[in-house]
Amino acid sequence: MLIVLKDKNNQTLLTEIQDLLKSKYGSESHVIGENNRVLAVTGDTSGVDVELLRSLEGVRSVDRVDRPYKLASRERKNRTLIEISKDCVIGDPKSVVMIAGPCSIDSEGQLDESAAMAKERGVKILRAGAFKPRTGPYSFQGKGLEGLKMLRKAGEKYMMKTISEIMKAEDLPAFEEMADILQIGARNMQNYELLKAVGKSTKPVMLKRGLAATLEEWLLAAEYILAGGNHNVMLCERGIRTFEEEVRFTLCLGSVPALRELTHLPIIVDPSHAMGKTRWVKDAALGGVAVGADGLIIEIHPRPHESSCDSAQLLDKEHWDDCFDAATKVAKAIGKTVV
Ligand code: PEP
Ligand code: MN
């Protein structure tokens, strides 16, 4: 960490900061350069309150040399590979893993039909929400545990792994038993107790980007899960909130190459929640593949208008087939296979 003072030779402030660093954080620091304006703080500075230092009168800037997320950082390793099954490894540079299924589990029949649509295209991971985080309390909240049971049944029937959103730590035992991958939704990205809980799980976790989260905040959220001992974490870019109102969320495809430099964790793109309209989902999905995502998560449904949730963005069979075929072509063009 480098701390730069506004004035040269301000010995009083230098001493004040050095004492603070030592007493509060146990950190050693050294004055460097000729003007006695720069302090280099050595050792582990992850606990140091940067904003406190910046707020001191006479301090011009405080910069971290190391990223605050250690375990998620690309400096730690090149790539995390999450083996879902022998033929489905998330993070494999040669593949784009397709995750598909309905937004919510509404009934056994609807889930079965949606799973069949996914299976027909060889999809290995079935998505479906049993617990739904809805903006308003009067909207359908999901089937809960009953839905999770239906998901397990569909997964077994179609021999697909399953992913579903967990909203509270108390539900972890049920998810451990009935789902293969835990999804942390955008609204819970900074629910630190939930992150700590799934950090203790043996199941892989897909962490969606918060509605207004920076990449650093997102990676620090991932760090909570990694710090708990769960190393199978993947990130999911699902769009952020901007001034734009025509599109549901602003899909930040630029985050994919940026994250690739910052972290070793696999990156999934969710074009469905970002675009919010069925007819726009394919193009965003293709963008996700082209920009190097390790996978896509797409909402599909045999009859979107019947869905209890997100009808406007679900892909019916025609759109789904078109999207899948196009994604396969784009993947091929960049030397990858859709699995
Ligand atoms: C979902 O994938 O079901 C969902 C609710 O997405 P998000 O958390 O990204 O809004
Ligand atoms: Mn949805």
Side-chain angles (χ1 to χ4, degrees), residues 40-51:
V41 191
T42 51
D44 181 8
T45 59
S46 50
V48 174
D49 184 348
V50 174
E51 293 310 322

Side-chain angles (χ1 to χ4, degrees), residues 120-327:
E120 208 178 292
R121 302 311 308 251
V123 168
K124 306 204 172 39
I125 307 175
L126 175 64
R127 70 142 286 147
F131 296 87
K132 297 303 302 175
R134 306 305 300 275
T135 303
Y138 309 120
S139 305
F140 174 67
Q141 303 286 309
K143 290 268 181 204
L145 288 180
E146 189 200 342
L148 217 47
K149 285 184 193 146
M150 293 179 195
L151 182 60
R152 176 169 65 178
K153 200 168 153 191
E156 281 168 2
K157 175 173 172 187
Y158 290 100
M159 288 187 297
M160 281 191 267
K161 300 291 181 186
T162 58
I163 178 169
S164 199
E165 176 167 355
I166 177 165
M167 300 212 298
K168 49 186 195 311
E170 301 93 275
D171 292 335
L172 191 56
F175 274 81
E176 296 257 357
E177 196 189 322
M178 291 186 268
D180 298 299
I181 306 171
L182 310 172
Q183 173 174 328
I184 302 285
R187 290 152 193 84
N188 272 315
M189 188 206 85
Q190 286 179 311
N191 180 341
Y192 299 116
E193 292 310 313
L194 183 59
L195 298 176
K196 284 182 205 168
V198 300
K200 294 282 168 229
S201 173
T202 54
K203 304 278 178 179
V205 177
M206 185 178 80
L207 178 64
K208 298 191 97 176
R209 182 178 189 174
L211 306 191
T214 63
L215 298 190
E216 185 167 298
E217 287 163 342
W218 189 8
L219 289 169
L220 281 168
E223 187 82 6
Y224 268 88
I225 307 172
L226 297 168
N230 188 344
H231 296 289
N232 289 324
V233 179
M234 64 194 105
L235 304 166
C236 176
E237 170 62 61
R238 45 81 71 211
I240 49 175
R241 174 69 42 81
T242 65
F243 47 82
E244 183 50 62
E245 289 176 348
E246 292 292 331
V247 187
R248 190 175 182 196
F249 290 97
T250 298
L251 183 59
C252 184
L253 285 180
S255 70
V256 180
L259 285 169
R260 194 67 80 200
E261 281 187 16
L262 297 171
T263 183
H264 50 85
L265 301 175
I267 309 149
I268 309 293
V269 165
D270 173 350
S272 301
H273 290 90
M275 304 311 288
K277 282 194 177 70
T278 300
R279 65 183 182 277
W280 294 344
V281 171
K282 171 181 124 183
D283 289 337
L286 301 188
V289 177
V291 84
D294 297 299
L296 295 172
I297 180 163
I298 296 182
E299 289 189 339
I300 62 173
H301 194 289
R303 292 166 302 281
H305 57 279
E306 287 180 9
S307 175
S308 301
C309 194
D310 285 349
S311 286
Q313 70 197 31
L314 304 174
L315 303 193
D316 57 17
K317 183 153 168 43
E318 195 183 325
H319 283 92
W320 164 234
D321 282 338
D322 183 35
C323 179
F324 194 95
D325 288 340

